[in-house]
Amino acid sequence: MEGREEDVRLGANRFSERQPIGTAAQSQDEGKDYTEPPPAPFFELRELCSWSFYRAGIAEFMATFLFLYITILTVMGVVKENTKCRTVGIQGIAWAFGGMIFALVYCTAGISGGHINPAVTFGLFLARKLSFARAVFYMAMQCLGAICGAGVVKGFMGKTRYGLLGGGANAVNPGYTKGAGLGAEIVGTFVLVYTVFSATDAKRSARDSHVPILAPLPIGFAVFLVHLATIPVTGTGINPARSLGAAIIFNKDKGWDDHWIFWVGPFIGALLAALYHQVVIRAIPFKSK
């Protein structure tokens, strides 16, 4: 253990913080204690002929299916009671979303990367962590899994009861403007995607050997905290597949009136998080040649 701590300390100290802005994260190629993964190709035809490509998509489908099933069913259990004291309440909903992300990222990270969210996939695509074909395939499978997960909940609850309880569909709550809802979705998704980048960063993994093992924990915790903050505002989307699946199965005006917010907000948040991590934190565009 002492040897491991010494290795980590020496590895961390190889990188001086006293460097010009925009070069600290990438300028010391010699003596690196980590390997920077090469950028993913924009499109690779051979990928479409690989079983691993489709296996990853199936994993994303199943993970998103289970995610919607557990979380929407939890929401239904809270909404159906007259008083939140008889249920797990808002905190319980937040734990259901965060806990499921923790578990599912842990289960699927080695197969597909454990995105379970089109916004996360979009952010990682912008950072060239995966190809365009894989990104589109992941998003399609995530949305399909979300629809099936919400559909199973509706089958359990019954059409009438499911409709009366709101179907877990996202909407801007009374007392908040659409601008406030959009802002909440942007900031919430930024927190999530920024956490994903930080928890899976190759450089940080080299300095802290336990980071790859614990990566699902901060990601799930970020989802939990964002839900605590934004459930009163929008019900918390930060995941277009989750919002789409619930809206399609619920299929009423309430689920569609503000639906654009739950796509535009998360994608803007993911874009900002990708730019912040790549440009500011890692200084990728300023890398010394």
Side-chain angles (χ1 to χ4, degrees), residues 16-263:
S16 172
E17 298 301 329
R18 296 182 178 180
Q19 297 187 35
I21 293 176
T23 63
Q26 289 289 331
S27 62
Q28 297 192 15
D29 289 332
E30 295 183 2
K32 277 186 176 180
D33 61 350
Y34 71 99
T35 301
E36 191 75 60
F42 180 78
F43 185 81
E44 187 175 9
L45 186 61
R46 291 181 303 172
E47 188 175 44
L48 302 179
C49 302
S50 170
W51 165 239
S52 64
F53 176 83
Y54 297 99
R55 182 183 65 169
I58 294 171
E60 287 294 309
F61 168 86
M62 182 57 66
T64 316
F65 168 81
L66 294 174
F67 178 62
L68 265 289
Y69 169 73
I70 295 296
T71 56
I72 297 301
L73 204 54
T74 302
V75 172
M76 294 289 94
V78 172
V79 174
K80 75 181 181 66
E81 299 294 344
N82 294 327
T83 171
K84 299 298 183 289
C85 295
R86 298 172 58 184
T87 69
V88 295
I90 289 179
Q91 293 88 347
I93 293 174
W95 275 120
F97 278 89
M100 279 304 290
I101 287 296
F102 167 67
L104 294 171
V105 170
Y106 178 83
C107 292
T108 60
I111 302 172
S112 65
H115 297 189
I116 321 171
N117 185 335
V120 172
T121 300
F122 180 65
L124 294 174
F125 166 70
L126 293 177
R128 299 191 65 185
K129 303 294 184 182
L130 70 165
S131 67
F132 176 75
R134 187 174 289 265
V136 172
F137 185 48
Y138 277 16
M139 291 181 190
M141 295 300 281
Q142 290 158 359
C143 290
L144 185 59
I147 294 168
C148 292
V152 170
V153 173
K154 183 177 182 178
F156 286 172
M157 300 292 293
K159 181 178 180 180
T160 301
R161 193 179 191 189
Y162 183 84
L164 291 174
L165 297 178
N170 288 122
V172 178
N173 291 322
Y176 295 94
T177 65
K178 294 184 186 298
L182 180 62
E185 289 296 307
I186 291 173
V187 176
T189 309
F190 179 91
V191 171
L192 169 60
V193 178
Y194 176 42
T195 303
V196 170
F197 274 113
S198 298
T200 59
D201 189 276
K203 187 173 183 179
R204 184 174 181 184
S205 296
R207 296 181 176 184
D208 256 331
S209 60
H210 61 270
V211 165
I213 300 174
L214 295 180
L217 181 59
I219 295 171
F221 200 61
V223 172
F224 165 71
L225 293 174
V226 171
H227 274 76
L228 283 182
T230 58
I231 282 177
V233 184
T234 62
T236 310
I238 68 171
N239 184 334
R242 173 261 186 272
S243 299
L244 179 67
I248 286 179
I249 299 301
F250 182 53
N251 198 28
K252 293 185 179 180
D253 289 344
K254 178 186 175 182
W256 293 115
D257 287 344
D258 303 323
H259 188 69
W260 64 273
I261 290 174
F262 302 99
W263 283 86

